C-alpha cells in the first residue's frame, strides 16, 4: 500500500521500525522486572541500560500498593483488522503521485501517526483499541514539496495534520471525530537537513523535520550547538518545537525556542509566510513569528527555520544541593533568579521525588555515607529535597559561578551533595518516560503536566495541586493514595515552571482512564485557581482547549480565530487544536 | 417559581449524635489531678511551630501589614516608623498570650464551678472525634453560638478535656476593662478587638493579618462568634461577615488548601444571664463588665442551672462550600498582600455561607421540655390548668418533633413528671397554685410601685420566658409564616399565599435567620411540613386547610403574634411621631414610651413590643424596605419616615391591635 517513487519505503519509516508502537521511545529500551523480581533497564542506548535496580520493586510496591503478581500486559502487536479502511480522496492521491510525492495508506503507518503520548492515547493502544486514524501519510522532502501538498489539499479539500516527532502530550495529533474529509498526516521526517551554517552570524538554517538529537549531533560535529534541550529532544522535531513554543532545559543560557529563532518559513493555504531579512530584532508591528510560534499546526507547516547557534561550551559541570525542606529550596531558587545567576539548568525535586531517586540509585551507586552525614546535620529524610544543577561555559567562569550558587544555597540551609547526584538527576530525565510503560504493565497509570507561576505562589500552588490530586483520587475510588509530586524545573525573573508527576494504582476501577482524566482536569482547575498558567511549554492541543478563553480573554481568542480564518478559511489544517 | 427541582429539606430525617455527660467523670475523680494531667493535643499536619512572641514579628513583618503601613504613612504624613510603632501597639493590645498554666488553672476552677452550676454538661462524643480528625487535616475555625459569657470558657474547657488544640478566641474589647479577668482570659487564648474601628485601615490590617497568620500556620483553631455578640433574646442573631471574610480569604487566595468550619451549638437549660438580658432589653443598661460585678455573680453559683448541651456539628469544608461559587482566579492579577474589598459575588457567598452556618447552629441546638412549656405559657397569659398544660405540652412535643426539633425529652418518663420537673427548675418565673400555672406576671405590686414599674416588672418575666420560647422559633418559623400568610391572604391560591409568605419573610428577615434567596425553598419546606402533618393539602394551584388543621394553624399564628404586634407598634409610633427630626438615638426611647402608653391604656397586651431588640430589628427592616431613611444632619443621624409607606406596611402586617382600628379607619 506504500508507493514511493523516489525514496525507499524502508527509509521513510526508519524511526517507526526502531520505536515502540504503543509506548515511549525505542523498542529495545524498556524497564522490566526480571524473574528475581529485580527491575532492569534493557538495551544499550542509555547510561542506565543493562543496569539492575534492586530496590525499585520495593519503591514501586510500597508507593502504589502494586504487586508484581498482578500484571496488566499490553496487547503484543497491532491488530490490523481493528484499523478502519482509509477514506481516500482519490483525485488528491492521484495528483500527489503525479507530483512524485511519497505516500502510504498502510495501517501501521497510519496508526503510528494517529497519536501523541497522552495517557489515554497510549492506554488505548496497549488495549488494542484504535480510534480514528489518518487516512494516509505523505512524506514531503523539501519546502516546495510542502507547497505542492498544501496547494493540492486546498484544491481537493482534504484535512492536513502536520506530524513531526509525535511526542505531543496535549491530544494535538488526535484526529477530530467530527472530521468527515480525508485526513492526511503530513510527516516532516524527510525534511531533516541542515541547509547552511553561518559562522559569522552564528546562525544555522535547518529544515523543520529534523529531530533534536540529530540537529545537536550534527552541529556538534561542526563545533556548535543550539543548546535547546527539551526532555523529548531524542524524538521531537524542530518544527514541533516552533509549533508548540517549546522550552529547553538549558534555556537560562540559550533561551527558549522563541529566543532562538531568527527566521521561520511556514507554508499556509494562503501561501508562504516569512520575514524578508535576518535582522536580529525588528519593530515592524506585532512579530509575525508569534502567530506561528504555538500555532500547533492549525495554520500551516513550518518548513525551514533559521536558528541561533553557539560554540560548544568548553566545560560542563553537574552539581546538586540538598535542602532541609521544599520551602527552603524554593526560596533558594528564587534568590538565584533574583540575582540572575541561574546555572544552565537548575531544578528542584520535592521529597517524594528525592525518595524515588534514592530508591532507584542507592544500591547502584552507593551514597550512604553522604546521606548519613546529612542526617547528622538535622536533615529529616521525610522532608529534605534536592536541587540538581548544570553549569556550562569556560572553566574559570563555571567554577566561579558554581561558588556563587552554592553560597546562596548555603544561606537557605542547602548543602552541596556532589556532582554524581546531579548528573544522575539529569540522566533520569530521559528514562523517566520509560517508567510509565513499566507502571502500565502492573496496573499503575500516570502522567506529568506543567505550568508556570509567579514566585510568590509557587509553594501554595504545589501544595494545593498535590493535595487536590490526592483528594480527587480518593473521591473517585482510587484505593491507594496516589503518587503526587512536584518539581520546579525552570526559573525566570518573575516566576518558575513547575512540573507535576502523578500516578496511581487503578486496580478495582472500571474506567481508570476516565478517572485519570477527571483528576487531571481537577488538577488543572486547581492550577488556574492558584495563579498558574494553562501551560508553560506542552501547549494546549485539544486537551486544554476548554480553558483558552479564560486564559487569554474573549478578545484574545477572537484575534487568534480571525488570524486562522484569514490564513486557512477552508480549515485545511483541521486538527482543531488550540481554538 | 415552584420548581420541582428544589428538593424540600427533610429536617426530620436529620440524624443526630448521642450525648455524654462530661461532668460525670469530674464528679468521680480529682479535679487537681485532672488539671495537671498530661495534655497532648492532636496537631495540624501542616503546623508551622511558632511561639506567641514569634507570631507578633511574623505579623508585623508581613507583606500585607508593611504595605498598609507605607500606605497609611504616605496618606497621613507620619513616618513609616511611627505608623509601624502604632501597629505594634495595636498588636500588643490585641494579642493573646495563651499559656497552658492558665488553662490548667481554669480546668481546675471551672471543674469546680461547672459542677456547682450544672447538673450535667453533655457533649456529643462523635462530634469531638470528627473534630479530632478535622484538626489534623486543615486549619479549623470554631463557630460556637453565643448565649452566655460561659460559652467560650466552656469551649476551651472541653477542648482541653478532649486533648484538642486550644483555640484562640476573638473577644470584644469590653472585657479588657475587667483588669484581672481580662488578663486571665488573654492567657487562656482570648485576643481582643475593638467593637468599632470602621475606617481605621491600620487597625483592620493588623487585626486581619493576625488572625490569618494564626490560621495559615495552623497555630491554633480560631474561634469566634458569627453572631458577633451574645444574643440577649436566645434567637440567633443575623451573622456578621467581617471575621468570616478574614478566615476565608487565605483559602480564596490559595494560601490554604481548605479550612474546616465547625459550627458548635451551645444550649443552656437555664441561662445564667436570664433576667439580666430581659432588663437590658427593657432599657436598663447592662452593668459594665467589671471584676467586682463578676464577684457578685458568685451568687449565681448557688443556683441550679440544670443541664447544658454542647453539640459539635459536622465540619464544613470551605472548599466544598465555595465550589462553583467563588472563582479563585479573580485574585491572580494582584499581589496577594494588597488588601482587596470582597467583590459582589464574594460578598454574596459570605452572606450565604454565614446564614447557612447559623442555620446549622440553630438546628443542632438542644431544646429542653421547658421551651415547649414557656411557649404555651406565653400564649396563655391568664394561665392554664396543670393537667391541660401537660396535655398541650405533649401535643406540642409531637408537633415539634415532626418539624425536626432537637428535643431532649427524658426517656421513659411520664409527661406530667417532665412538666413538673421543668416547672420546678424555672419556678422563679411562675406561680403555681391549686393546679393552675401562670407566668409570674401578676405578682402583687408593692405599694410604692408606680403603674409603669408594674408593667416593667411584668415585662421582665415575659421577656425572660420569651427567651426560652425563642429557642424553638426556628423550628416553627417557616410553617408559622405560612400559617399567617394563609390567614392574611384571604385566598387559597398558591400564588397569593406565596406572595403573603414572601412579604412576611422579607419583613422579618432581620428578626429571624432566613437565608437570603431561599424564599421558594422555605415556602416549599413549610408546605411539606404542614402537609406531612395533615394540616394542609397542597394542590397544584391551591393550598387548602384540612378539617383537622385548625388548631395547629392557630398555634402557629400565635407563635408569630408578638412579632406582628410589635412591628405594628413600631410602625404606628413612627407614623404618629410629630418630631420631624427624630434622631436614631431617640428612636428606642420613643418607641418604648409609645408602647408603654398603649399598655397602660390597656390598648396593647403584648409586652414584647417593649423589647429593644424587636424595635431595632423592625427599624432595620423599615430601613431595608426604604420606608425610613437615615439622614445625616450635622453629627446627628435622623430618621426620615415615609409615613405612607410605613402605614401601608403596618396595614399589610394585619392591623391586629384592635383598639387602633378606629384610628386606621379615620385614615
Amino acid at each position: 500500500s506504500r508507493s514511493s517513487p523516489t525514496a525507499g519505503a524502508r527509509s521513510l519509516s526508519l524511526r517507526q521500525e526502531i520505536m515502540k508502537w504503543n509506548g515511549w521511545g525505542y523498542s529495545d529500551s524498556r524497564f522490566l522486572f526480571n524473574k528475581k523480581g529485580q527491575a532492569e533497564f534493557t538495551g544499550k542506548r542509555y547510561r542506565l541500560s543493562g543496569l539492575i535496580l534492586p530496590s525499585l520493586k520495593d519503591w514501586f510496591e510500597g508507593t502504589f500498593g502494586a504487586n508484581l503478581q498482578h500484571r496488566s500486559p499490553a496487547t503484543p502487536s497491532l491488530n490490523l483488522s481493528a484499523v478502519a479502511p482509509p477514506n481516500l480522496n482519490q483525485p488528491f492521491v492521484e495528483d500527489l503521485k503525479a507530483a512524485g510525492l511519497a505516500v502510504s495508506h498502510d495501517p501501521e503507518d497510519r496508526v503510528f501517526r494517529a497519536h501523541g503520548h497522552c495517557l489515554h492515547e497510549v492506554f488505548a493502544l496497549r488495549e488494542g483499541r484504535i480510534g480514528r486514524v489518518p487516512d494516509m501519510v505523505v512524506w514531503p522532502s523539501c519546502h516546495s514539496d510542502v507547497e505542492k501538498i498544501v496547494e493540492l489539499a486546498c484544491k481537493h479539500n482534504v484535512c492536513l495534520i502536520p506530524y513531526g516527532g509525535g511526542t505531543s502530550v496535549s491530544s494535538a495529533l488526535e484526529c477530530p471525530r467530527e472530521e468527515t474529509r480525508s485526513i492526511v498526516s503530513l510527516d516532516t521526517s524527510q525534511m531533516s537537513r541542515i541547509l547552511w551554517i553561518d559562522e559569522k552570524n552564528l546562525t544555522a538554517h535547518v529544515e523543520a523535520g529534523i529531530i533534536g538529537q540529530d540537529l545537536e549531533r550534527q552541529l556538534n560535529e561542526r563545533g556548535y550547538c543550539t543548546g535547546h534541550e527539551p526532555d523529548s529532544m531524542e524524538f521531537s522535531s524542530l518544527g514541533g518545537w516552533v509549533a508548540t513554543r517549546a522550552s529547553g532545559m538549558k534555556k537560562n543560557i540559550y533561551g527558549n525556542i522563541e529566543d532562538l529563532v531568527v527566521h521561520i518559513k511556514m507554508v499556509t493555504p494562503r501561501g508562504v509566510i516569512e520575514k524578508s531579512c535576518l535582522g536580529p530584532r525588528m519593530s515592524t508591528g506585532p512579530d509575525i513569528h508569534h502567530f506561528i510560534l504555538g500555532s500547533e499546526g492549525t495554520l500551516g507547516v513550518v518548513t525551514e527555520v533559521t536558528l541561533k547557534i553557539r560554540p560548544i561550551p568548553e566545560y560542563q559541570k553537574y552539581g546538586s544541593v540538598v535542602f532541609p525542606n521544599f520551602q527552603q529550596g524554593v526560596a533558594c531558587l528564587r534568590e538565584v533568579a533574583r540575582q540572575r545567576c541561574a546555572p544552565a539548568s537548575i531544578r528542584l525535586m520535592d521529597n517524594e521525588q528525592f525518595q524515588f531517586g534514592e530508591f532507584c540509585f542507592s544500591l547502584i551507586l552507593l551514597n550512604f555515607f553522604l546521606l548519613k552525614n546529612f542526617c547528622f546535620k538535622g536533615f529529616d529524610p521525610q522532608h529534605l529535597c534536592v536541587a540538581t544543577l548544570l553549569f556550562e561555559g569556560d572553566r574559570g567562569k563555571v567554577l566561579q559561578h558554581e561558588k556563587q550558587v552554592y553560597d546562596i544555597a548555603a544561606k537557605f540551609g542547602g548543602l552541596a551533595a556532589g556532582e554524581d547526584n546531579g548528573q544522575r538527576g539529569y540522566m533520569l530525565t530521559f528514562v523517566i518516560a520509560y517508567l510509565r510503560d513499566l507502571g502500565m504493565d502492573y496496573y499503575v497509570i500516570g502522567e506529568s503536566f506543567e505550568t508556570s507561576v509567579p514566585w510568590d505562589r509557587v509553594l501554595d500552588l504545589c501544595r494545593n495541586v498535590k493535595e487536590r490530586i490526592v483528594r480527587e483520587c480518593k473521591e473517585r475510588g482510587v484505593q491507594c493514595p496516589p503518587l503526587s509530586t512536584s518539581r520546579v524545573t525552570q526559573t525566570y525573573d518573575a516566576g518558575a515552571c513547575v512540573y507535576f508527576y502523578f500516578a496511581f494504582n487503578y486496580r478495582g476501577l472500571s474506567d481508570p482512564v476516565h478517572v485519570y482524566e477527571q483528576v487531571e482536569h481537577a488538577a488543572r482547575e486547581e492550577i488556574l485557581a492558584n495563579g498558574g498558567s494553562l501551560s508553560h511549554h506542552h501547549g494546549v492541543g485539544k486537551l486544554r482547549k476548554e480553558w483558552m478563553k479564560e486564559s487569554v480573554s474573549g478578545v484574545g481568542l477572537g484575534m487568534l480565530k480571525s488570524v486562522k480564518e484569514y490564513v486557512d478559511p477552508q480549515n485545511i489544517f483541521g486538527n482543531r487544536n488550540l481554538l | 417559581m415552584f420548581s420541582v427541582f428544589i428538593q424540600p429539606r427533610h429536617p426530620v430525617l436529620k440524624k443526630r449524635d448521642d450525648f455524654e455527660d462530661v461532668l460525670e467523670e469530674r464528679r468521680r475523680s480529682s479535679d487537681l489531678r485532672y488539671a495537671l494531667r498530661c495534655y497532648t493535643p492532636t496537631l495540624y499536619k501542616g503546623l508551622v511551630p511558632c511561639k506567641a512572641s514569634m507570631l507578633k514579628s511574623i505579623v508585623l513583618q508581613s507583606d500585607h501589614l508593611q504595605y498598609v503601613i507605607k500606605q497609611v504613612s504616605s496618606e497621613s504624613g507620619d513616618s513609616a516608623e511611627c505608623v509601624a510603632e502604632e501597629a505594634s501597639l495595636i498588636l500588643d493590645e490585641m494579642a493573646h498570650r495563651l499559656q497552658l498554666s492558665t488553662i490548667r488553672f481554669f480546668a481546675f476552677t471551672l471543674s469546680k464551678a461547672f459542677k456547682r452550676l450544672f447538673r450535667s454538661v453533655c457533649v456529643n462524643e462523635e462530634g469531638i472525634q470528627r473534630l479530632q480528625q478535622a484538626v489534623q487535616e486543615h486549619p479549623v475555625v470554631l463557630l460556637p453560638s453565643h448565649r452566655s459569657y460561659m460559652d467560650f470558657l466552656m469551649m476551651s474547657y472541653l477542648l482541653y478535656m478532649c486533648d484538642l488544640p486550644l483555640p484562640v478566641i476573638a473577644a470584644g474589647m469590653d472585657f479588657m476593662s475587667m483588669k484581672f479577668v481580662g488578663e486571665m482570659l488573654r492567657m487562656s487564648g482570648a485576643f481582643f478587638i475593638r467593637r468599632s474601628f470602621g475606617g481605621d485601615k491600620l487597625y483592620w490590617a493588623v487585626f486581619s493579618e493576625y488572625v490569618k497568620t494564626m490560621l495559615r500556620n495552623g497555630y491554633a483553631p480560631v474561634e469566634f462568634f458569627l453572631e458577633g455578640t451574645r444574643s440577649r433574646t436566645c434567637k440567633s442573631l443575623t451573622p456578621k461577615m467581617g471575621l468570616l471574610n478574614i478566615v476565608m480569604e487565605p483559602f480564596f487566595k490559595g494560601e490554604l488548601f481548605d479550612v474546616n468550619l465547625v459550627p458548635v451549638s451551645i444550649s443552656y437549660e437555664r441561662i445564667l444571664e436570664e433576667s439580666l438580658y430581659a432588663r437590658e432589653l427593657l432599657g436598663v443598661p447592662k452593668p459594665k463588665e467589671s471584676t467586682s460585678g463578676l464577684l457578685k455573680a458568685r451568687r449565681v453559683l448557688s443556683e441550679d442551672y440544670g443541664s447544658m448541651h454542647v453539640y459539635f456539628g459536622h465540619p464544613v469544608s470551605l472548599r466544598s462550600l465555595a465550589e462553583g461559587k467563588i472563582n479563585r482566579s479573580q485574585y491572580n492579577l494582584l499581589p496577594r498582600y494588597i488588601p482587596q474589598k470582597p467583590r459582589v459575588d464574594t460578598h454574596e457567598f459570605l452572606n450565604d455561607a454565614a446564614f447557612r452556618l447559623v442555620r446549622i447552629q440553630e438546628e443542632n441546638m438542644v431544646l429542653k421540655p421547658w421551651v415547649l412549656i414557656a411557649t404555651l405559657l406565653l400564649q396563655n397569659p391568664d394561665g392554664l390548668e396543670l393537667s391541660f398544660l401537660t396535655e398541650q405540652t405533649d401535643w406540642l412535643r409531637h408537633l415539634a418533633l415532626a418539624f425536626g426539633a432537637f428535643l431532649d425529652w427524658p426517656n421513659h418518663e411520664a409527661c406530667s413528671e417532665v412538666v413538673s420537673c421543668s416547672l420546678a427548675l424555672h419556678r422563679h418565673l411562675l406561680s403555681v397554685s391549686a393546679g393552675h400555672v401562670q407566668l409570674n406576671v401578676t405578682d402583687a405590686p408593692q405599694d410604692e410601685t408606680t403603674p409603669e414599674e408594674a408593667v416593667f416588672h411584668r415585662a421582665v418575666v415575659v421577656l425572660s420566658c420569651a427567651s426560652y420560647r425563642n429557642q424553638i422559633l426556628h423550628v416553627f418559623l417557616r410553617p408559622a409564616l405560612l400559617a399567617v400568610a394563609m390567614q392574611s391572604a384571604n385566598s387559597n391560591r398558591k400564588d397569593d399565599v406565596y406572595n403573603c409568605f414572601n412579604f412576611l419573610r422579607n419583613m422579618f428577615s432581620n428578626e429571624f435567620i432566613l437565608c437570603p434567596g431561599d424564599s421558594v425553598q422555605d415556602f416549599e419546606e413549610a408546605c411539606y411540613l404542614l402537609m406531612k402533618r395533615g394540616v394542609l393539602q397542597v394542590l397544584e394551584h391551591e393550598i387548602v386547610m384540612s378539617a383537622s388543621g385548625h388548631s395547629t394553624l392557630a398555634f402557629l399564628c400565635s407563635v408569630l403574634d408578638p412579632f406582628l404586634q410589635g412591628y405594628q407598634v413600631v410602625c404606628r409610633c413612627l407614623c404618629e411621631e410629630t418630631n420631624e427630626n427624630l434622631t436614631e438615638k431617640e428612636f428606642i426611647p420613643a418607641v418604648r414610651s409609645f408602647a408603654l402608653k398603649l399598655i397602660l391604656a390597656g390598648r396593647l397586651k403584648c409586652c414584647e413590643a417593649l423589647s429593644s431588640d424587636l424595635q431595632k430589628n423592625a427599624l432595620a427592616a423599615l430601613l431595608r424596605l426604604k420606608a425610613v431613611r437615615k439622614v445625616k444632619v450635622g453629627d446627628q443621624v435622623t430618621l426620615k419616615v415615609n409615613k405612607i409607606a410605613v402605614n401601608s406596611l403596618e396595614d399589610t402586617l394585619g392591623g391586629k391591635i384592635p383598639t387602633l382600628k378606629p384610628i386606621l379607619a379615620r385614615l
Side-chain angles (χ1 to χ4, degrees), chain B residues 593-629:
Chain B
S593 71
F594 182 79
L596 189 62
K597 261 184 245 158
L598 288 178
I599 292 171
L600 287 172
R603 284 156 56 190
L604 178 67
K605 290 233 153 31
C606 171
C607 287
E608 290 185 52
L610 290 169
S611 159
S612 60
D613 180 68
L614 180 144
Q615 295 157 358
K616 274 181 220 159
N617 292 336
L619 179 62
L622 294 173
L623 287 165
R624 183 166 42 81
L625 297 171
K626 302 203 166 54
V628 176
R629 278 181 310 124

Side-chain angles (χ1 to χ4, degrees), chain A residues 327 454 456-458 460-461 463-469 471-472 474 525-532 550, chain B residues 44-45 137-138 251-258 317 319-320 323 327-329 331-337:
Chain A
Q327 289 88 314
D456 69 316
R457 295 174 195 253
V458 169
D460 288 332
L461 180 126
R463 185 200 50 236
N464 288 353
V465 172
K466 280 159 69 171
E467 188 146 0
R468 179 78 182 261
I469 289 171
R471 188 186 263 207
E472 293 284 335
K474 196 173 163 192
E525 293 273 358
E526 192 63 32
I527 286 173
L528 297 175
N530 283 274
E550 184 187 325
Chain B
Y44 169 50
K45 65 173 183 207
E137 283 170 354
H138 303 292
F251 165 74
F252 294 157
K253 292 189 171 177
E255 294 161 340
L256 284 173
F257 182 77
D258 202 353
S317 147
R319 178 174 275 266
S320 332
E323 174 83 55
N327 178 6
R328 283 180 286 151
S329 48
Y331 298 95
N332 286 356
L333 296 179
L334 199 63
R336 291 180 293 178
Y337 59 81

Side-chain angles (χ1 to χ4, degrees), chain A residues 548-550 552-560:
Chain A
M548 261 305 270
K549 188 171 170 189
E550 184 187 325
V552 301
S553 81
V555 177
L557 192 62
M559 284 167 91
L560 298 180

Side-chain angles (χ1 to χ4, degrees), chain B residues 405-420:
Chain B
F406 193 4
L407 199 57
D408 180 44
W409 189 274
N411 288 325
H412 321 298
E413 250 179 76
C415 187
S416 57
E417 191 63 27
V418 176
V419 170
S420 59

